[in-house]
Amino acid sequence: GKTRPRRRTAPSAGATYPLDLYVLVTEVRGLTPGLYRYDQQAHTLKRLQRGKLRPALQKAVGQSTVGRAPLAILIVATPKRTSVKYGKRAITYVNIEAGAVGQNIALAATALGLGTVYIGAFFDAAMAKLLSLKAGQRVVGCLPIGRSQSRNASK
C-alpha cells in the first residue's frame, strides 16, 4: 500500500521500489480465476491472464497445500532498480524489503482472520514461466492465503 505520494507501507532502500506483487487467484468471489498484477499507484489489480493456474503454481512451488489456497501473492523482485543506486548491496536491500512486504501481507491476512505462510523455496524457472517474467526479474516470495487450519478446525 501507499501512505502518501512516493511512500509505501514497507521500507525501500533509496525509494527504489524493486518489488512488484502478482496475485494468482483460484477461488475469490468477484474475481475471475487467473493471474493479476497489483498496480500500487491506482490501488487496483490488472488481470494479466485468465484461467485456472492452480496446477502450475503447485508444480512451481512443489507443495500440494499451496494449491488449496484461494489465492497466492507472489513477490517479484527487479534488483536492477536498486543496484543502479547501491551496486552489490542491492540484493541485501531487496531481500530486506521482500521480508517487510511479506510481513505486511501476513499481518493483513491475520487481521482478516486468514492464514498464510511465507514460502521462499520453489522452482525459479517454473515460477518465471508461470508469471512470464522478464530477464532480471525473479520471485522472492510466495504467500498462499486462505482460511487457517485452526480456524477451520473450530467450525
Side-chain angles (χ1 to χ4, degrees):
K2 164 170 82 166
T3 57
R4 57 186 171 167
R6 294 277 310 144
R7 297 285 184 231
R8 298 186 184 179
T9 57
S12 181
T16 56
Y17 304 115
L19 303 180
D20 293 296
L21 299 179
Y22 288 71
V23 182
L24 194 144
V25 174
T26 57
E27 296 177 46
V28 176
R29 191 178 309 136
L31 284 175
T32 302
L35 180 65
Y36 297 77
R37 184 177 171 279
Y38 175 63
D39 180 335
Q40 188 269 332
Q41 292 299 324
H43 192 54
T44 60
L45 292 175
K46 305 277 185 177
R47 187 172 51 229
L48 303 174
Q49 182 180 345
R50 278 187 171 184
K52 299 189 184 223
L53 302 172
R54 181 178 290 185
L57 179 63
Q58 281 180 265
K59 185 176 179 182
V61 177
Q63 296 182 33
S64 62
T65 55
V66 171
R68 290 195 298 263
L71 71 95
I73 298 177
L74 303 152
I75 302 173
V76 174
T78 307
K80 186 176 183 178
R81 294 180 195 163
T82 304
S83 67
V84 167
K85 190 169 187 174
Y86 294 106
K88 292 179 183 179
R89 293 279 310 155
I91 199 64
T92 299
Y93 299 147
V94 169
N95 289 334
I96 290 168
E97 185 171 338
V101 167
Q103 183 178 24
N104 282 352
I105 292 168
L107 290 169
T110 300
L112 293 170
L114 301 171
T116 190
V117 63
Y118 194 113
I119 298 172
F122 38 77
F123 300 100
D124 293 323
M127 278 292 209
K129 182 178 178 182
L130 173 63
L131 303 180
S132 299
L133 297 182
K134 298 174 185 166
Q137 292 182 303
R138 63 186 182 88
V139 176
V140 292
C142 172
L143 292 99
I145 299 176
R147 295 204 183 274
S148 68
Q149 292 297 323
S150 60
R151 182 175 171 148
N152 284 338
S154 66
K155 290 193 176 207

